[in-house]
């Protein structure tokens, strides 16, 4: 492929902010997005921006008591578009951005900071109840239903007396009908655990030898197909989730990139074989997964086991000198995404954020 | 002394002079022509032809044609005039010398200028080529930038267009809703008019109005509730509460796991464990042992006694505990090696004897006994594993320590025979 036929990553707009931004998400069905983070004075902030004529316009700024670490629109309906956030004190809130003074739902879910959050069942994607899962530094992963107050509907916690490990990332998957759902959680000691919510059991676990920074299924609303797990030390693994071997688990292929922590992975909503990884050196890499000729084969005892495919790098670009901490594809416009990074210079708490729109030509 | 040539001929026109010099059979290659503005010399050994020109000539454009046993010079005069003679008259030796030298200098200067000019020209060419290259690259870059700009514009425009679409859709929906609301309002108005006509009291009218309004409101509300109910029927109830207990891959450090740090962490842990062992005060299993049982010496004696009574496993236990308490006593390893030999744990016997030997450095007379024992035990173990060559090595080491030991000598002989026997066979 010549240089012009490969997809290019073009940066559209860059905006400096005056606070640390941890997460950014598109508001579904609009050209707006929210950023979440904390001010230097220790309070949390949510800002709502709109893209107007090639520039970003701040529509609304909401300040909250505690810094906000993560957020998702995954569990709300398209009409309501409520934002669910997790903050540094372990509170889960769901906000109506039109009336953000009082949260629509609020619970003190965890004893320590909520590191990660994911939602499923909303936005017209998938079937089943809308649910939110949060993972925290206290080692627990909890699933919440916005209709049930105060108590989680599922709680994955360490056995009594076990030393807890930080949960760094969670992801929903396999939500192809009303009953089935899985939650995958990654921890700082390299553990990846797959929980089946229908049977309330641990379905699979493995350890990838480096702390797991980010997990994502290629689609939440289909029978689980692929899972990408990124970790410290610049590695990521792609697991083929269609065939589970009783002892060997899922087949995987791994790749080393970025030369530093891979902070995020996001699949393109319009094409699940493409995904973007964001690295600690401020770079974005666009990858394409190719399936093997046969996705499963029989091992020596005749038991089915999966075969992993291969991953190839399509394009990469460096946007900043600081890690790109969060990434989100626009569900409406193919190829548009936002990413946020942090610049933590002592004097300037200016945070660098940039927009990138991959031009996806003939693929 | 070169021979001067004087039988040359010359002709002239207004602008040029033609001189013809015979070569007298000397080959063309040997003819060396030297010409400056005022001086012309041809050196073809053994002949020499030189002439001091009457007036200056343009030596750059003048030509010399060598061939046919003559050289024909075509010299272009600088000034258009007819010369009286070819060469200057009244030239004495000094002047001749001076002119010669001047001419040589002139020639040299001209040569230098020529090379400089060439070098300058080359530099110019290179700079030009570089410039052109840079321009081409700039154009490439600009092209790519332009394409990116175009994309950017296109994307922004598309986004705006899509936003417009969304907005229009929203507008439509809003208008629709408002229309419905207006309709309902109109309904209320009609009802009110009807009421007025029926000439009820104002209060009841307003009451009715209020009820009508509330009815409408309730109807709308119930519509909404109805709608919501529909939606809820398609969404299942919240999941029944469940909990999953998990275990983590054990990790001592509170920091995240990184592959590159694993080696360092292992080393640190190892050192910590060593240090802990050195302080042996609070190993939990020892808490229920008597004081004397914590003494490695006492344990060693116990082990020896057990060995004597052929209770090898117990002896090994005693030695193990002693080694845990103090792993620097070679005798413990020696004795444990003996137990392992008896139990046919040959590899362990070898290990322990090796460890004992390590601890018994430096090899001095004091620990000769211990070292000999270690070698013998290790040798025996090797032989029983049929590694006769290694066994022999150990036996010979033992013999070196104590050459007078008969048993060792005999055993060594036996091993040698075995080795030679197998060699003969193969």
């Amino acid at each position: 492929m010549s240089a012009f036929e490969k997809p290019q990553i073009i940066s559209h707009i860059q905006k400096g902010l005056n606070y640390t931004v941890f997460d950014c998400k598109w508001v579904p069905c609009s050209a707006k997005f929210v950023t979440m983070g904390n001010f230097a004075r220790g309070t949390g902030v949510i800002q709502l921006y709109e893209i107007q004529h090639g520039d970003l316009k701040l529509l609304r700024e909401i300040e909250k008591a505690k810094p906000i670490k993560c957020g998702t629109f995954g569990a709300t309906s398209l009409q309501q578009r409520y934002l669910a956030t997790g903050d540094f004190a372990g509170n889960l809130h769901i906000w109506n951005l039109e009336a953000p003074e009082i949260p629509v739902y609020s619970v003190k879910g965890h004893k320590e900071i909520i590191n990660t959050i994911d939602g499923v069942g909303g936005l017209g994607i998938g079937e089943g109840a809308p649910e939110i899962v949060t993972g925290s530094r206290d080692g627990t992963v909890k699933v919440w239903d916005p209709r049930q107050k105060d108590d989680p509907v599922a709680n994955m916690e360490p056995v009594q007396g076990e030393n807890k490990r930080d949960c760094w990332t969670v992801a929903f998957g396999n939500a192809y009908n009303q009953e089935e759902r899985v939650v995958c959680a990654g921890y700082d000691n390299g553990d990846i655990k797959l929980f089946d919510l229908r049977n309330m059991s641990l379905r699979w676990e493995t350890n990838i030898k480096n702390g797991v920074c980010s997990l994502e299924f290629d689609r939440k609303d289909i029978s689980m197909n692929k899972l990408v797990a990124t970790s410290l030390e610049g590695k990521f693994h792609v697991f083929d989730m269609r065939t589970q071997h009783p002892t060997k688990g899922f087949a995987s292929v791994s790749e080393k990139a970025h030369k530093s922590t891979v902070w995020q992975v996001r699949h393109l909503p319009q094409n699940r074989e493409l995904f973007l990884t964001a690295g600690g050196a401020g770079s974005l890499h666009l990858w394409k997964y190719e399936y093997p000729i046969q996705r499963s084969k029989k091992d020596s005892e005749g038991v089915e086991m999966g075969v992993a495919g291969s991953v190839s790098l399509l394009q990469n670009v460096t946007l900043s000198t600081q890690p790109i901490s969060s990434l989100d594809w626009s569900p409406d416009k193919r190829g548009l995404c936002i990413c946020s990074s942090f610049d933590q210079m002592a004097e300037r708490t200016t945070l660098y954020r940039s927009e990138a729109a991959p031009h996806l030509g003939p693929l | 002394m070169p021979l001067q040539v004087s039988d040359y001929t010359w002709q002239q026109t207004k602008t040029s002079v033609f001189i013809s010099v015979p070569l007298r059979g000397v080959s063309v290659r040997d003819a060396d022509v030297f010409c400056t503005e005022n001086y012309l010399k041809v050196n073809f050994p053994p002949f020499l032809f030189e002439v001091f020109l009457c007036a200056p000539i343009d030596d750059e454009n003048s030509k010399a044609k060598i061939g046919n046993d003559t050289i024909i010079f075509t010299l272009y005069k600088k000034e258009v005039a007819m010369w009286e003679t070819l060469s200057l008259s009244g030239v004495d030796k000094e002047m001749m010398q001076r002119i010669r030298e001047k001419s040589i200098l002139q020639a040299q200067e001209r040569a230098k200028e020529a090379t400089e000019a060439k070098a300058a020209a080359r530099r110019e060419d290179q700079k030009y080529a570089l410039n052109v290259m840079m321009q081409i690259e700039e154009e490439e870059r600009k092209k790519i930038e332009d394409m990116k700009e175009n994309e950017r514009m296109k994307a922004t425009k598309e986004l705006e267009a899509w936003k417009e679409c969304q907005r229009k859709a929203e507008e439509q929906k809003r208008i629709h809703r408002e229309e419905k609301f207006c309709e309902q309002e109109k309904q209320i108005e009609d009802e009110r008019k009807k009421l007025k006509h029926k000439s009820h009291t104002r209060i009841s009218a307003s009451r009715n109005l209020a009820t009508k309004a509330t009815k409408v409101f309730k109807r709308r509300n119930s519509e909404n509730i109805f709608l919501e109910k529909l939606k809820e029927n398609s969404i299942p109830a919240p999941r029944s509460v469940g909990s999953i207990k998990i275990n983590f891959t054990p990790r001592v450090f509170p920091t995240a796991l990184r592959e590159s740090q694993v080696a360092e962490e292992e080393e640190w842990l190892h050192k910590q464990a060593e240090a802990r062992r050195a302080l042996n005060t609070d190993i939990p299993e020892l808490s229920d042992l008597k004081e004397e049982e914590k003494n490695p010496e006492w344990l060693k004696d116990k082990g020896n006694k057990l060995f004597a009574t052929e209770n090898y496993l117990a002896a090994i236990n005693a030695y193990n505990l002693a080694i845990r308490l103090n792993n620097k006593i070679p005798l413990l390893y020696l004795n444990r090696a003996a137990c392992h030999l008896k139990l046919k744990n040959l590899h362990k016997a070898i290990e322990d004897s090796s460890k004992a030997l390590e601890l018994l450095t430096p090899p001095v007379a004091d620990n000769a006994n211990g070292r000999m024992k270690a070698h013998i035990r290790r040798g025996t173990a090797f032989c029983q594993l049929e590694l006769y060559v290694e066994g022999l090595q150990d036996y010979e080491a033992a013999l070196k320590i104590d050459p007078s030991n008969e048993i060792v000598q005999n055993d060594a002989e036996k091993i040698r025979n075995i080795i030679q026997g197998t060699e003969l066979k193969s």
Side-chain angles (χ1 to χ4, degrees):
Chain A
M1 256 201 275
S2 85
F4 292 138
E5 285 169 14
K6 274 202 295 189
Q8 300 287 327
I9 302 181
I10 306 171
S11 169
H12 270 231
I13 311 173
Q14 291 176 321
K15 191 160 169 64
L17 304 169
N18 60 347
Y19 59 91
T20 311
V21 55
F22 290 115
D23 201 2
C24 54
K25 286 284 186 301
W26 286 98
V27 177
C29 285
S30 71
K32 307 192 187 86
F33 57 88
V34 288
T35 57
M36 293 153 271
N38 70 333
F39 282 121
R41 50 185 174 266
T43 54
V45 57
I46 302 176
Q47 282 189 336
L48 179 64
Y49 284 92
E50 182 170 18
I51 304 181
Q52 281 187 0
H53 304 292
D55 199 10
L56 295 178
K57 179 155 171 280
L58 175 63
L59 293 181
R60 178 172 287 212
E61 179 171 300
I62 306 163
E63 187 164 344
K64 291 295 162 197
K66 291 274 182 256
I68 298 179
K69 182 73 169 44
C70 51
T72 180
F73 283 102
T76 73
S77 65
L78 279 174
Q79 290 80 22
Q80 291 174 325
R81 291 187 275 183
Y82 292 159
L83 175 67
T85 59
D87 69 10
F88 275 41
N91 299 316
L92 167 68
H93 296 295
I94 301 185
W95 308 99
N96 177 352
L97 293 171
E98 310 286 324
E101 296 77 32
I102 309 225
V104 168
Y105 178 89
S106 159
V107 67
K108 172 112 171 71
H110 293 270
K111 301 192 196 72
E112 300 192 52
I113 176 178
I114 294 182
N115 279 319
T116 172
I117 192 172
D118 194 14
V120 74
L123 303 181
I125 300 175
E127 306 181 42
E131 281 175 343
I132 298 171
V133 63
T134 54
S136 158
R137 189 181 291 171
D138 64 5
T140 60
V141 172
K142 296 190 185 173
V143 181
W144 310 86
D145 187 312
R147 298 168 290 179
Q148 179 168 303
K149 284 173 147 329
D150 294 332
D151 285 320
V153 294
N155 183 359
M156 282 66 116
E157 58 186 354
V159 166
Q160 196 73 290
E162 174 98 12
N163 272 340
K164 58 183 179 59
R165 305 298 323 180
D166 274 10
C167 173
W168 277 358
T169 175
V170 287
F172 270 117
N174 208 30
Y176 62 88
N177 66 21
Q178 296 205 350
E179 289 87 34
E180 285 287 342
R181 205 161 275 183
V182 301
V183 168
C184 195
Y187 297 84
D188 72 335
N189 64 346
D191 279 347
I192 297 180
K193 297 187 191 294
L194 190 66
F195 303 106
D196 185 330
L197 291 182
R198 187 167 62 115
N199 304 330
M200 276 300 165
S201 64
L202 175 65
R203 188 154 157 182
W204 169 66
E205 59 181 343
T206 182
N207 187 302
I208 59 172
K209 309 280 182 293
N210 282 299
V212 184
C213 293
S214 172
L215 282 174
E216 203 194 29
F217 285 94
D218 56 353
R219 287 275 181 278
K220 289 184 217 180
D221 55 338
I222 56 171
S223 167
M224 44 183 197
N225 189 35
K226 292 203 308 294
L227 171 69
V228 178
T230 71
S231 72
L232 304 173
E233 314 266 301
K235 281 202 169 149
F236 67 88
H237 304 254
V238 183
F239 293 92
D240 182 315
M241 304 298 272
R242 275 287 153 86
T243 325
Q244 180 170 10
H245 188 274
T247 47
K248 299 189 194 136
F250 294 103
S252 77
V253 62
S254 79
E255 201 47 60
K256 206 162 155 74
H258 292 282
K259 298 196 182 69
S260 57
T261 306
V262 185
W263 285 73
Q264 277 280 334
V265 61
R266 286 280 176 260
H267 289 89
L268 183 62
Q270 292 87 3
N271 179 350
R272 66 186 183 187
E273 320 315 338
L274 296 175
F275 55 92
L276 201 57
T277 54
S283 55
L284 289 178
H285 283 55
L286 183 65
W287 304 86
K288 185 168 162 70
Y289 179 80
E290 270 127 19
Y291 291 100
I293 301 177
Q294 269 191 312
R295 285 189 74 174
S296 72
K297 62 172 193 225
K298 294 213 187 278
D299 71 352
S300 48
E301 278 126 39
V303 183
E304 289 276 333
M305 60 184 263
V307 177
S310 64
V311 165
S312 58
L313 176 64
L314 289 183
Q315 185 60 268
N316 69 334
V317 72
T318 304
L319 296 173
S320 134
T321 52
Q322 294 293 326
I324 294 183
S325 59
S326 103
L327 196 51
D328 195 31
W329 291 102
S330 163
D332 308 298
K333 180 138 180 25
R334 179 187 162 115
L336 190 62
C337 82
I338 46 168
C339 48
S340 70
S341 70
F342 25 74
D343 178 318
Q344 282 169 343
M345 291 182 70
E347 313 96 46
R348 288 186 297 139
T349 47
T350 321
L351 280 80
Y352 216 41
R353 189 225 287 165
S354 52
E355 291 230 15
H359 153 112
L360 293 168
L363 277 173
Chain B
M1 193 60 208
L3 295 166
Q4 292 274 3
V5 172
S6 45
D7 57 343
Y8 58 91
T9 53
W10 69 287
Q11 291 132 358
Q12 64 169 315
T13 67
K14 273 233 171 78
T15 51
S16 46
V17 180
F18 304 96
I19 308 180
S20 167
V21 179
L23 272 178
R24 305 273 187 84
V26 180
S27 98
V28 170
R29 252 183 295 123
D30 290 338
D32 174 38
V33 176
F34 178 68
C35 175
T36 57
E37 282 183 350
N38 290 336
Y39 174 69
L40 173 65
K41 175 180 84 158
V42 188
N43 183 15
F44 47 109
F47 300 102
L48 173 65
F49 165 72
E50 62 175 3
V51 61
F52 297 91
L53 296 165
C54 188
I57 55 154
D58 185 3
D59 59 325
E60 304 218 329
N61 288 333
S62 306
K63 301 194 209 39
K65 197 156 116 186
I66 307 178
N68 256 356
D69 208 29
T70 51
I71 308 180
I72 300 182
F73 291 99
T74 313
L75 309 171
Y76 295 99
K77 295 182 188 167
K78 275 212 171 140
E79 291 164 6
V80 178
M82 296 299 279
W83 292 357
E84 312 257 322
T85 56
L86 181 57
S87 45
L88 278 173
S89 44
V91 190
D92 61 346
K93 215 166 170 189
E94 246 188 56
M95 232 180 110
M96 279 204 271
Q97 194 64 12
R98 249 189 304 128
I99 295 179
R100 277 196 209 110
E101 280 173 5
K102 210 169 76 174
S103 311
I104 290 176
L105 272 175
Q106 254 183 3
Q108 276 178 354
E109 264 182 37
R110 212 171 289 147
K112 209 166 64 174
E113 276 172 24
T115 45
E116 271 177 17
K118 214 165 77 168
R122 214 153 137 251
R123 266 199 303 265
E124 278 301 314
D125 280 340
Q126 275 178 351
K127 246 201 317 195
Y128 176 68
L130 197 62
N131 273 341
V132 172
M133 275 292 298
M134 278 171 51
Q135 260 181 8
I136 293 177
E137 278 175 15
E138 260 307 307
E139 275 170 28
E140 276 283 326
R141 257 196 299 252
K142 244 179 76 70
K143 221 180 354 164
I144 296 180
E145 275 303 314
D146 283 341
M147 279 182 66
K148 285 195 179 171
E149 257 313 304
N150 282 345
E151 274 308 311
R152 237 171 267 160
M153 301 290 218
K154 210 165 54 154
T156 333
K157 256 192 281 181
E158 276 179 22
L159 204 58
E160 294 293 315
W162 178 75
K163 268 187 0 194
E164 270 301 310
C165 250
Q166 291 282 82
R167 218 200 326 247
K168 285 206 191 105
E170 271 297 314
E171 279 290 318
Q172 292 277 14
K173 259 198 263 176
R174 203 167 51 80
I175 291 174
H176 191 68
R177 256 181 288 152
E178 278 194 5
E179 275 176 9
K180 252 180 58 181
F181 190 62
C182 276
E183 265 183 38
Q184 286 171 341
E185 283 238 344
K186 256 178 60 192
Q187 272 187 2
I188 299 174
E189 277 293 319
D190 287 339
E191 301 273 310
R192 200 205 290 171
K193 283 202 190 110
K194 264 197 260 167
L195 286 169
K196 271 207 176 130
H197 283 167
K198 284 195 182 157
S199 71
H200 277 189
T201 62
R202 264 161 96 242
I203 299 169
S204 60
S206 61
R207 208 189 323 127
N208 272 347
L209 180 59
T211 51
K212 274 285 179 246
T214 48
K215 248 203 237 166
V216 172
F217 190 59
K218 271 209 205 112
R219 204 182 334 135
R220 226 180 308 138
N221 256 4
S222 59
E223 269 179 23
N224 283 345
I225 298 172
F226 192 53
L227 270 173
E228 270 183 37
K229 253 233 183 97
L230 268 182
K231 254 192 278 175
E232 266 194 40
N233 276 341
S234 58
I235 304 176
R239 205 179 284 280
S240 45
V241 176
S243 159
I244 306 176
K245 298 279 185 231
I246 54 178
N247 285 312
F248 294 112
T249 311
R251 181 166 164 78
V252 175
F253 302 90
T255 53
L257 175 61
R258 282 172 196 270
E259 268 182 324
S260 56
Q261 307 240 341
V262 168
E264 281 175 37
E265 288 172 359
E266 290 287 300
E267 220 188 287
W268 189 86
L269 283 174
H270 197 64
K271 285 209 196 108
Q272 290 284 328
E274 287 281 337
R276 233 178 298 134
R277 229 184 300 152
L279 307 172
N280 57 21
T281 42
D282 47 6
I283 306 176
E285 298 120 310
L286 297 189
S287 54
D288 49 37
L289 289 180
K290 295 190 290 228
E291 192 53 50
E292 55 180 5
E293 290 179 342
K294 292 194 198 156
N295 183 355
E297 282 295 317
W298 184 90
L299 284 167
K300 185 191 65 162
D301 289 333
K302 189 88 176 148
N304 290 347
K305 277 188 232 154
L306 289 166
F307 186 84
T309 57
E310 298 192 1
N311 195 346
Y312 300 122
L313 283 174
I316 289 182
N317 275 337
Y319 291 132
N320 282 346
L321 189 51
I323 288 176
R324 258 177 67 189
L325 291 169
N326 184 341
N327 60 357
K328 304 278 188 244
I329 306 179
L331 202 48
L332 293 172
Y333 290 102
L334 270 182
N335 292 353
R336 202 169 71 173
C339 299
H340 281 307
L341 260 185
K342 294 287 183 190
L343 288 176
K344 301 276 186 260
N345 293 338
L346 301 169
H347 289 282
K348 291 221 175 127
I350 295 174
E351 257 179 55
D352 279 339
S353 333
S354 307
K355 192 88 202 299
L357 274 174
E358 259 176 50
L359 288 168
L360 284 171
T361 51
V364 288
D366 267 359
N367 50 25
N369 204 8
R371 275 183 297 124
M372 200 177 74
K373 282 205 203 134
H375 278 300
I376 294 177
R377 283 175 193 160
R378 202 166 68 175
T380 322
F382 275 129
C383 294
Q384 293 196 6
L385 281 173
E386 301 202 2
L387 296 169
Y388 294 115
V389 182
E390 283 82 357
L392 189 55
Q393 280 176 353
D394 269 323
Y395 270 102
E396 292 192 335
L399 272 178
K400 237 196 307 188
I401 301 175
D402 181 12
S404 55
N405 194 323
E406 286 222 351
I407 308 174
V408 179
Q409 276 176 357
N410 287 340
D411 285 338
E413 264 308 306
K414 267 192 254 169
I415 298 174
R416 264 188 226 111
N417 288 337
I418 297 177
I419 293 179
Q420 281 167 355
T422 50
E423 274 178 18
L424 278 174
K425 263 194 249 169
S426 60

